[in-house]
Amino acid sequence: MSDLLTTARYGDPEARLGVLTDTLRLQLARRSVRRFTGRDVTADELTALVAAAQSAPTSSNLQAWSVVAVRDPDRRARLAALAGNQAFIAQAPLFLVWIADLDRARRLARRAGTAVEAADYLESTVLTFVDAALAAQNAVLAAESLGLGSVFVGGVRNHPEEIAAELRLPPHTVAAFGLAVGTPDPDEPAGVKPRLPQAAVLHHEVYRADEADAHIPAYDARLAAYNERYGLAGGWSDRVLARLRGPESMAGRHRLREILERLGLPSH
Ligand SMILES: Cc1cc2nc3c(=O)[nH]c(=O)nc-3n(C[C@H](O)[C@H](O)[C@H](O)COP(=O)(O)O)c2cc1C
């Protein structure tokens, strides 16, 4: 079966799937959108995105996340500045800030007069971030199905305390990431960004690092070709190494542990 979605996803003319559904088509064709038309996201669309998010699995049904929908242009501009001066946050009609939320459970415990010490452990912090991520990605796919586009914004972790103040977050919560949502501008110079070959990420039964990594050079060439098409330089390996070189490449996020502690997520 000729399968343009799969070949684009891998940047590999030989890539094929043996099965293909409408859901898979949406997933294969998704890309981050950073340019939006002036059309608003309707209240019904927002409700549908949140319903999709709430349909995601959630650890022990704790539902340990919240989301703040920001439409106010001034607030979006302030959030854009705090999140690394990313202009598309101010341009998108809707900015969803996904909150890792351990405060709802604490409020519950306070009202019940019970202990909530497990919330202070790293496991709970991981749990709330995982819950928020699963929910948000469900919203991403729902947005795609409605003809909307989106991009995640980890930049909200550059200044978590200032973001918390801007959104009046209670203690024991932190903005995990943002999601800018709107109608994609069809003229944005971007495409489906190829991913690593499956052989680099899929192991059978046990992990075999050397065999997996042997597929990286081919991917570097494919991603370099993709980047060149959109006026960017370099392959994948270079960018990974630059992104992870040291704390100076983290836009302030190397302080996250101490900030989490101050925000009331001590993560023991
Ligand atoms: C948790 C998370 C945070 C991200 N933060 C940003 C961001 O701050 N700015 C940005 O432009 N893209 C951000 N992205 C988008 C990634 O750069 C993008 O998903 C990746 O380059 C792959 O491209 P694609 O989504 O078009 O396939 C983020 C993605 C994730 C999952």
Side-chain angles (χ1 to χ4, degrees), residues 117 119-125 257 261 265-268:
E117 284 164 27
D120 287 347
Y121 287 86
L122 177 61
E123 163 60 17
S124 295
T125 304
R257 224 201 65 77
E261 196 149 2
L265 296 96
S267 313
H268 299 312

Side-chain angles (χ1 to χ4, degrees), residues 17 37 45 67 70 78 83 87 121 146 178 203 208 213 215 231 255:
L17 293 189
T37 70
E45 287 168 336
V67 60
V70 181
R78 290 194 293 275
Y121 287 86
L146 293 165
H203 302 259
R208 295 185 178 87
D213 290 358
H215 298 274
R255 300 171 302 127

Side-chain angles (χ1 to χ4, degrees), residues 9 30-34 83 86 88 151-157 177 191-193 195 226 253:
R9 172 51 68 213
R30 187 214 59 82
R31 67 168 174 84
S32 292
V33 172
R34 298 180 180 84
Q86 303 200 71
F88 58 77
V151 59
F152 274 99
V153 178
V156 302
R157 295 193 306 277
F177 39 78
V192 168
K193 191 183 287 180
R195 293 297 198 263
Y226 170 91
R253 296 182 218 171

Side-chain angles (χ1 to χ4, degrees), residues 3 8 34 57 73 76 78 88 99 106 120 128 166 178-179 185 194 202:
D3 176 353
R34 298 180 180 84
R76 276 189 287 112
R78 290 194 293 275
F88 58 77
I99 311 298
R106 283 179 176 275
D120 287 347
T128 177
E166 177 65 47
L179 190 73
D185 177 343
L202 171 63

Side-chain angles (χ1 to χ4, degrees), residues 171-221:
H172 317 294
T173 67
V174 60
F177 39 78
L179 190 73
V181 185
T183 301
D185 177 343
D187 295 330
E188 180 182 4
V192 168
K193 191 183 287 180
R195 293 297 198 263
L196 286 162
Q198 285 208 2
V201 303
L202 171 63
H203 302 259
H204 292 283
E205 309 304 334
V206 294
Y207 194 109
R208 295 185 178 87
D210 289 345
E211 286 176 30
D213 290 358
H215 298 274
I216 290 178
Y219 178 61
D220 273 327

Side-chain angles (χ1 to χ4, degrees), residues 20-216:
L20 201 51
T21 63
D22 287 346
T23 303
L24 280 163
R25 283 190 186 89
L26 271 186
Q27 290 173 316
L28 289 165
R30 187 214 59 82
R31 67 168 174 84
S32 292
V33 172
R34 298 180 180 84
R35 251 165 67 173
F36 304 93
T37 70
R39 183 187 163 277
D40 216 342
V41 176
T42 67
D44 283 346
E45 287 168 336
L46 172 59
T47 303
L49 298 189
V50 176
Q54 292 187 281
S55 301
T58 155
S59 187
S60 305
N61 200 25
L62 293 183
Q63 307 181 56
W65 59 272
S66 295
V67 60
V68 181
V70 181
R71 295 184 184 274
D72 177 63
D74 294 336
R75 179 165 287 118
R76 276 189 287 112
R78 290 194 293 275
L79 291 173
L82 285 171
N85 286 316
Q86 303 200 71
F88 58 77
I89 298 171
Q91 203 225 340
L94 175 66
F95 190 54
L96 297 175
V97 188
W98 299 85
I99 311 298
D101 187 348
L102 293 174
D103 196 53
R104 187 185 298 112
R106 283 179 176 275
R107 296 195 297 268
L108 207 63
R110 203 154 50 234
R111 289 194 292 271
T114 58
V116 70
E117 284 164 27
D120 287 347
Y121 287 86
L122 177 61
E123 163 60 17
S124 295
T125 304
V126 169
L127 175 160
T128 177
F129 274 84
V130 169
D131 263 18
L134 297 178
Q137 179 55 28
N138 257 25
V140 165
L141 200 62
E144 294 283 321
S145 77
L146 293 165
L148 297 168
S150 66
V151 59
F152 274 99
V153 178
V156 302
R157 295 193 306 277
N158 293 6
H159 298 286
E161 289 164 300
E162 291 83 347
I163 299 266
E166 177 65 47
L167 302 178
R168 298 187 209 154
L169 301 184
H172 317 294
T173 67
V174 60
F177 39 78
L179 190 73
V181 185
T183 301
D185 177 343
D187 295 330
E188 180 182 4
V192 168
K193 191 183 287 180
R195 293 297 198 263
L196 286 162
Q198 285 208 2
V201 303
L202 171 63
H203 302 259
H204 292 283
E205 309 304 334
V206 294
Y207 194 109
R208 295 185 178 87
D210 289 345
E211 286 176 30
D213 290 358
H215 298 274
I216 290 178

